[in-house]
Amino acid sequence: MLSDRALFFIFCLGATLIACPLVWGYYKLSHVLCYGWRSGVRPYSEHQMSKDVTYLWHVSERLYETKTQYQFIEVFQHPHFGRILSIDRSLQITQEDEFMYHEMMAHVPMAYVPDAKNVLVIGGGDGGALQRLLEHKNVKHATLVDIDLDEMEYISATYFPHIHKGYEDPRTTTVAGDGARWVEDRLLANPNRDEDKLFDVIIVDSTDFGAADSLFTPSFYHHLSQILKPKGILIANLDSPSWNYPTVAHVQNEMTKYFKYSFVYAYHQPCFLSGHYSFIFVSNGVHPFKEGINWTESWYNKKIQASYYNPDNHITSFILPQWSKHGLSTRLSLPQLNPITLNTISTDETTTEPYMEDLKKVEPLCPAGQEGQCHGRVR
């Protein structure tokens, strides 16, 4: 006869053999219900490490994925935000609100250089910044340098065609390669800094990790300062001032070593972690408030239709929260504003939706039969 201890052991073993599959099954069922199937299509998640926050995007489909020599790229479909571009599992743009990012990146510097002829975009392979720059008809030549150019142009044409027009513009030259290396070669090829080979506006539209590491070095900042015209402007995407303020302050302070003027401006970007994002504005010849902007010449006469950018939020984007006085070496305030900038703002400007017709040609944001359950700009 088995001892009490043996019987107890057999009972525990049996209970374990029964319980383990049940627990495993419950876990898998709850995982499927909460997160979707094992394929990982639902949801797409993005984690913010410094604040330990994860955003879950309940996407309906993974439309495309590829791993290049430099990065892992995915495109998803979301019922509200439309198509989502992710690089190395970090959200870059969405079909629904990319215009906020690209308009504030491109139109802000162009307001100070209304006759800009030569512009450069480093990164930005989705085409959005390039397209917004080329809406300024005074631009004669635009150069786009992207390390994954062929892949990004394909993604832009296939999944974000409403911001692919810049690629097709005859004023555009595209270069496949590392942006930092290209800038260095450009500088070496123009040792005398002939002005016709310098740039009026440079935009650095990159990820902040991985393949873009070379774009965050002192030598790169210095080289950029050398290929700008005396009154040229450099814009680079930064980070969330609310969640990653030390990073924002660090970059701004670093830029003051290579440029006379270095200022942060912020705006609202719903799809980015925290919803509060920023750019860095640097120049050796243009102070964003002391330099007067004649809005009639710089904006209204150009008849550019924008959904987010206008002269009012151009100015207010440079006015930062009170806590930003700690850490930033330079800040702006309204008393510094040139009267011309304020006096030439029209009070009759109407709101426009420039890309509505193009977006309507793209696959609808809402699946058939669910239109009433979705909320997007495109119906």
Side-chain angles (χ1 to χ4, degrees):
M1 179 177 290
L2 295 174
S3 66
D4 291 344
R5 178 174 295 181
L7 289 172
F8 180 75
F9 174 78
I10 293 172
F11 172 79
C12 291
L13 179 62
T16 301
L17 291 174
I18 294 172
C20 283
L22 290 176
V23 170
W24 182 86
Y26 173 78
Y27 168 78
K28 294 303 292 183
L29 178 61
S30 63
H31 181 84
V32 167
L33 292 175
C34 292
Y35 298 111
W37 295 101
R38 192 176 178 181
S39 64
V41 172
R42 296 187 60 194
Y44 160 64
S45 65
E46 185 180 22
H47 187 68
Q48 208 285 339
M49 301 208 41
S50 67
K51 302 300 179 186
D52 197 21
V53 173
T54 298
Y55 277 21
L56 295 177
W57 299 78
H58 284 278
V59 294
S60 56
E61 184 180 1
R62 181 191 282 116
L63 300 172
Y64 183 74
E65 68 171 290
T66 185
K67 184 171 179 58
T68 73
Q69 179 182 350
Y70 306 102
Q71 51 203 359
F72 179 56
I73 306 173
E74 298 169 287
V75 179
F76 297 95
Q77 181 73 30
H78 188 274
H80 172 75
F81 286 93
R83 284 156 189 172
I84 295 173
L85 172 64
S86 169
I87 296 180
D88 291 333
R89 295 187 171 85
S90 177
L91 187 147
Q92 303 299 305
I93 61 169
T94 76
Q95 179 184 344
E96 170 70 10
D97 64 4
E98 56 76 26
F99 66 94
M100 301 180 183
Y101 177 80
H102 291 129
E103 288 180 12
M104 290 299 289
M105 175 176 270
H107 296 323
V108 167
M110 294 297 285
Y112 299 97
V113 198
D115 60 346
K117 301 292 189 296
N118 198 15
V119 299
L120 168 66
V121 180
I122 298 175
D126 56 66
L130 175 67
Q131 179 166 307
R132 268 50 175 219
L133 287 171
L134 290 171
E135 289 174 347
H136 297 261
K137 300 306 180 185
N138 46 280
V139 172
K140 301 302 181 185
H141 189 257
T143 303
L144 171 69
V145 183
D146 193 279
I147 199 166
D148 257 336
L149 180 70
D150 292 341
E151 194 64 48
M152 292 306 300
E153 182 174 3
Y154 168 77
I155 289 171
S156 176
T158 307
Y159 301 105
F160 301 92
H162 65 292
I163 54 174
H164 184 260
K165 295 176 183 177
Y167 277 107
E168 303 165 354
D169 195 298
R171 295 172 290 171
T172 298
T173 298
T174 58
V175 180
D178 178 82
R181 177 67 59 85
W182 186 90
V183 168
E184 184 177 2
D185 291 344
R186 178 85 176 195
L187 183 58
L188 292 173
N190 185 27
N192 298 323
R193 299 192 72 229
D194 297 333
E195 189 156 329
D196 62 336
K197 297 179 181 178
L198 301 178
F199 294 96
D200 296 289
V201 171
I202 298 176
I203 288 179
V204 179
D205 178 12
S206 69
T207 60
D208 53 3
F209 45 78
D213 286 346
S214 63
L215 305 185
F216 296 88
T217 63
S219 62
F220 181 60
Y221 300 151
H222 174 69
H223 292 157
L224 287 174
S225 71
Q226 298 301 300
I227 65 170
L228 268 178
K229 290 183 179 179
K231 298 202 76 170
I233 297 169
L234 164 67
I235 302 293
N237 59 311
L238 269 182
D239 210 324
S240 167
S242 299
W243 284 12
N244 284 332
Y245 182 65
T247 300
V248 171
H250 170 75
V251 173
Q252 192 259 358
N253 290 323
E254 279 293 304
M255 288 294 195
T256 60
K257 300 176 182 178
Y258 309 99
F259 297 89
K260 183 177 180 180
Y261 303 117
S262 174
F263 295 97
V264 173
Y265 66 100
Y267 75 110
H268 178 56
Q269 187 67 50
C271 71
F272 287 175
L273 295 175
S274 87
H276 187 205
Y277 204 69
S278 65
F279 299 105
I280 187 79
F281 174 111
V282 296
S283 176
N284 282 317
V286 176
H287 185 291
F289 270 24
K290 294 179 180 179
E291 185 82 14
I293 300 176
N294 184 325
W295 291 109
T296 300
E297 178 185 6
S298 294
W299 184 246
Y300 300 124
N301 284 351
K302 293 184 176 183
K303 306 296 184 183
I304 296 173
Q305 296 181 327
S307 296
Y308 187 90
Y309 176 86
N310 60 36
D312 294 300
N313 64 33
H314 174 122
I315 294 170
T316 56
S317 67
F318 285 96
I319 307 300
L320 301 177
Q322 180 65 13
W323 44 256
S324 68
K325 70 179 182 179
H326 303 291
L328 294 183
S329 58
T330 54
R331 296 172 69 245
L332 294 174
S333 60
L334 285 176
Q336 296 173 277
L337 193 62
N338 188 308
I340 293 175
T341 302
L342 193 60
N343 293 339
T344 56
I345 293 180
S346 170
T347 58
D348 299 324
E349 185 179 25
T350 57
T351 301
T352 58
E353 289 287 339
Y355 306 110
M356 293 295 286
E357 294 304 316
D358 290 328
L359 283 171
K360 287 176 182 176
K361 299 174 185 177
V362 181
E363 181 180 328
L365 298 180
C366 300
Q370 299 182 28
E371 290 80 5
Q373 303 172 35
C374 299
H375 304 281
R377 292 191 308 122
V378 183
R379 293 287 183 259

